[in-house]
Amino acid sequence: MISRLSAAGLVACGLAAMAPAPAAAATNLLFVFDASNSMWGQVNAVPKIQTARETLSGLIADLPADTRVGLLAYGHRSKDDCADVEMLVPFGADTRAAVVTQLASLQPRGKTPIAFALQRSGPAFDGVADGAKSIVLISDGVETCDGDPCKSAAELAASGIGVKVHVVGFDIAAKDRAQLECIAEKGGGRYFPADGTDGFSTAVGEAVQVAQADTQKTDAAPEPAPPAPKEPVRERVFFDDFEGLDLAEQWVVNNPNPDAYIVEDNVLLMLNGGTGGFGAPEAQNLVQLSEALPKGDWDAKMTFTVELATGRDRVTFGLRKDAENWLAATLSYTEAYCSAVTLSLVKMTGGKATSFDHAVSAECNAVPKAFAAKLADTPSTLTLQKRGRSYAAQLQIADDLDKDGTQILYQTDRLTSLRAPGSLTVGVDKYEDRQGEILIHIDSIEIETVTD
């Protein structure tokens, strides 16, 4: 038999070290137990299912009297059923003996439907009004049923029932650990690694100890919420959406080539098949704002779509005095064996360049090409941001969202310039000679002052 002294002792010692005041509410612990076929695997010459059964049974017997315990298992009834999730012991007044009995009867058989198990865990807390609510997920592997357990954990945390998801990873391969860590992070809990039989006892004991500590936090008087961060005040001081038949009078075109730019249907179209851009003394069709920039902090934004067709394409938006003095945000596309879309912040002072790069998409496959094609159809906003004497480049693409639905913001590190190096300017070019042309559709350019 495997000793349960380490797990039970850890919980008992941990609880004894806590504040002596009696708890006003129970701890509600739902164990989500992995009974998939892989639990027949051995650690220290003992089947993992045996270690898990005996350790958990001993720990449950030694829990404080005010702890309510439930048990949900998955993978224990069918070999190939991704819906094989069962609530074996719901919460009740005294369920410990029932949990121990059910653990002893579990025979690992099937897959690992963690996402579905987490979805089924939420309703277990229906009607549970008082005390901390915790799930302790015990698993020896990752999802095998095409679910998204990170998303399920996040949904549980956001459901309003106040449950935390702690995870014990038993004999987890290094390549699989990230998913279990993600479940704990998204579920508002902690991840506890367990490599051997003793490590498993320690990990489960620590997970339960953390859940018990959550009860004390629940009973304590709530701390006052911190004041909401003050939003900066923004004021638009310049805006052009290119109405009319030509550029407005505020714009000056450097070395104009009328065949390569036009204002049409509320869009400024610019075409270039040459190289040079901001760094070329005789660069054509650099469109420059004649109005002075505001004092203080500001954001200059350009909304556009662009056809990146040459594999050496570059869009530049920023401040330019001349070919040797400028500071700008650039978006470039390199098409080669390993292709890349890159956001950069470049400062040119007396012909010497300093820059920061941020990869937007970079892989040795078709992904960057697909990303470049997306920029031709999806409005993007390239921003040069000024705060004090420092500048940063930012890029947002309209439908480029993170897994949780938030807008992705690509941003470079900051560079410092003691003086604003020129006037607001936009241009397109190729940074290296290659066949083809780059075409940009500029929908609008605006400047906002930003005041804290």
Side-chain angles (χ1 to χ4, degrees):
M1 295 290 289
I2 296 169
S3 170
R4 57 185 173 89
L5 291 178
S6 56
L10 176 61
V11 174
C13 293
L15 294 174
M18 295 179 183
T27 299
N28 303 284
L29 268 176
L30 177 64
F31 290 98
V32 177
F33 191 86
D34 183 351
S36 63
N37 187 63
S38 59
M39 287 291 282
W40 285 121
Q42 294 191 359
V43 175
N44 302 129
V46 179
K48 287 183 277 186
I49 183 64
Q50 181 180 339
T51 299
R53 282 189 197 130
E54 295 181 2
T55 300
L56 194 55
S57 296
L59 184 146
I60 288 171
D62 291 314
L63 286 173
D66 62 353
T67 302
R68 299 191 189 108
V69 182
L71 177 66
L72 179 146
Y74 58 85
H76 59 295
R77 295 177 297 184
S78 173
K79 181 179 178 181
D80 297 311
D81 185 4
C82 283
D84 185 11
V85 175
E86 184 180 10
M87 178 62 67
L88 296 173
V89 182
F91 289 118
D94 187 2
T95 58
R96 298 166 196 236
V99 170
V100 171
T101 299
Q102 290 290 345
L103 285 171
S105 68
L106 288 174
Q107 297 295 318
R109 287 188 175 90
K111 293 193 172 185
T112 310
I114 298 177
F116 187 49
L118 290 173
Q119 292 166 18
R120 291 288 302 274
S121 298
F125 294 92
D126 290 349
V128 177
D130 62 328
K133 301 166 188 164
S134 298
I135 292 170
V136 176
L137 168 67
I138 297 170
S139 180
D140 77 331
V142 296
E143 171 78 30
T144 61
C145 287
D146 298 324
D148 187 344
C150 284
K151 180 181 178 182
S152 296
E155 289 173 347
L156 265 177
S159 65
I161 63 178
V163 66
K164 292 185 178 181
V165 183
H166 304 293
V167 180
V168 176
F170 189 16
D171 189 36
I172 298 296
K175 64 183 180 62
D176 295 332
R177 177 169 171 166
Q179 185 184 88
L180 297 185
E181 290 177 333
C182 176
I183 294 170
E185 177 188 355
K186 297 297 185 182
R190 288 176 54 186
Y191 175 75
F192 301 90
D195 296 328
T197 54
D198 290 341
F200 180 77
S201 296
T202 301
V204 176
E206 288 178 347
V208 172
Q209 183 178 343
V210 168
Q212 295 283 351
D214 287 340
T215 299
Q216 290 194 343
K217 295 176 183 177
T218 302
D219 295 339
E223 296 182 3
K230 185 179 179 182
E231 291 293 328
V233 177
R234 294 178 173 272
E235 181 182 358
R236 178 186 285 176
V237 295
F238 175 82
F239 181 76
D240 191 352
D241 58 0
F242 302 105
E243 291 186 351
L245 302 177
D246 203 350
L247 287 169
E249 61 182 9
Q250 297 99 326
W251 296 106
V252 176
V253 183
N254 180 65
N255 295 327
N257 176 3
D259 292 332
Y261 78 93
I262 188 173
V263 175
E264 185 177 77
D265 298 328
N266 295 342
V267 174
L268 168 61
L269 291 91
M270 299 173 64
L271 179 70
N272 197 352
T275 60
F278 273 36
E282 303 301 324
Q284 291 186 346
N285 294 343
L286 294 180
V287 179
Q288 192 168 63
L289 186 66
S290 61
E291 294 184 355
L293 289 163
K295 296 184 181 299
D297 297 340
W298 48 259
D299 289 344
K301 303 179 181 180
M302 177 175 69
T303 301
F304 65 98
T305 56
V306 60
E307 298 177 20
L308 304 171
T310 76
R312 297 294 185 270
D313 313 89
R314 179 168 57 188
V315 177
T316 309
F317 179 63
L319 308 177
R320 185 179 188 270
K321 179 180 178 182
D322 53 44
E324 294 191 341
N325 298 278
W326 48 276
L327 190 154
T330 72
L331 184 67
S332 60
Y333 174 52
T334 301
E335 184 177 305
Y337 175 74
C338 292
S339 302
V341 176
T342 305
L343 173 69
S344 301
L345 177 68
V346 183
K347 180 176 74 170
M348 187 72 69
T349 305
K352 296 182 179 180
T354 304
S355 65
F356 283 117
D357 296 331
H358 183 96
V360 177
S361 179
E363 293 187 32
C364 298
N365 54 32
V367 172
K369 295 182 181 180
F371 203 96
K374 180 179 182 179
L375 294 174
D377 300 320
T378 307
S380 303
T381 300
L382 186 60
T383 300
L384 182 66
Q385 181 190 78
K386 177 181 180 291
R387 298 293 184 269
R389 289 188 171 89
S390 70
Y391 297 79
Q394 296 179 340
L395 176 70
Q396 287 182 297
I397 303 167
D399 62 354
D400 198 10
L401 306 178
D402 208 339
K403 288 184 178 180
D404 60 1
T406 58
Q407 176 75 58
I408 295 176
L409 175 66
Y410 304 98
Q411 179 168 311
T412 67
D413 290 338
R414 310 189 75 85
L415 289 173
T416 299
S417 180
L418 299 181
R419 296 182 178 86
S423 302
L424 190 66
T425 307
V426 58
V428 295
D429 73 304
K430 296 182 294 185
Y431 64 85
E432 186 178 282
D433 193 22
R434 195 171 183 178
Q435 290 183 344
E437 299 173 311
I438 177 174
L439 175 63
I440 189 170
H441 304 241
I442 302 176
D443 296 311
S444 65
I445 295 177
E446 67 177 307
I447 304 171
E448 290 181 330
T449 58
V450 181
T451 307
D452 292 331

